[in-house]
Amino acid sequence: MARVPRQRPRGTDLMNLALNYGYGILYSTMERYLIMAGLDPYLGILHTIKSGKPSLVFDIVEIFRTVAVDKPLITEISNTKLSTINGFLDYDSRRTVARIILNNLNRDYVNPRTGRKSPLTEIMKHETWHLASIIREGNVKNYECFTWVF
């Protein structure tokens, strides 16, 4: 019987650990908003439906990943010291990453759909409601996600 090689853990450097932790915050936030909009987070539009995987969360997070996690961490992480314990971010590092992400989620951005400024969390909620209305109308093929301009 052939041995299957063990996979190496992905993202073991500090930046990847911080990004993955930030994505976890984004995933849980977006899952809550999808449920509030009456959508099943396990429904899949772009990602394949797999048992136990919140495919719709993965789908809609793609729109917000860069603005909600990547940009704030990349710009602010150089001012902080992160460290690990047993390959995971330690408590203070997780707290630092969470503070950066949560502050950013509450920061005002211009909503590309409306042109109005509002906290990123409100834009995320608005997008889930928009997606819910498109799905209810049966027009998923007509869904156009917006893009961020930096």
Side-chain angles (χ1 to χ4, degrees):
M1 179 184 280
R3 282 181 50 146
V4 176
R6 289 179 67 184
Q7 288 186 345
R8 301 174 98 193
R10 294 187 325 177
T12 56
D13 66 273
L14 287 172
M15 188 60 187
N16 276 321
L17 290 171
L19 286 167
N20 289 334
Y21 193 74
Y23 297 150
I25 294 169
L26 181 60
Y27 290 143
S28 65
T29 303
M30 189 55 74
E31 183 171 9
R32 184 176 61 232
Y33 293 154
L34 287 168
I35 291 168
M36 288 170 57
L39 295 172
D40 180 356
Y42 295 90
L43 170 74
I45 295 174
L46 299 174
H47 288 84
T48 307
I49 297 174
K50 290 184 183 175
S51 179
K53 300 286 184 189
S55 298
L56 189 57
V57 175
F58 299 153
D59 290 343
I60 198 161
V61 155
E62 294 301 328
I63 302 168
F64 295 96
R65 184 187 302 267
T66 354
V67 72
V69 177
D70 296 355
K71 185 180 178 197
L73 278 180
I74 290 168
T75 56
E76 294 188 39
I77 211 72
S78 61
N79 301 330
T80 61
K81 182 177 178 340
L82 299 179
S83 54
T84 61
I85 295 177
N86 298 326
F88 296 98
L89 291 176
D90 66 11
Y91 175 78
D92 288 334
S93 297
R94 290 191 313 267
R95 201 169 90 189
T96 299
V97 170
R99 179 188 47 78
I100 291 169
I101 300 304
L102 295 173
N103 284 346
N104 185 57
L105 289 176
N106 291 310
R107 188 174 151 233
D108 282 347
Y109 284 87
V110 174
N111 185 332
R113 285 202 190 281
T114 65
R116 288 181 275 180
K117 269 190 165 185
S118 57
L120 184 54
T121 53
E122 291 301 313
I123 296 170
M124 291 165 61
K125 281 185 213 174
H126 184 266
E127 190 62 19
T128 59
W129 295 335
H130 176 68
L131 178 60
S133 69
I134 294 275
I135 289 172
R136 286 186 188 107
E137 294 168 3
N139 295 326
V140 177
K141 290 181 182 178
N142 297 334
Y143 176 71
E144 292 180 22
C145 70
F146 57 77
T147 54
W148 294 95
V149 178
F150 296 104

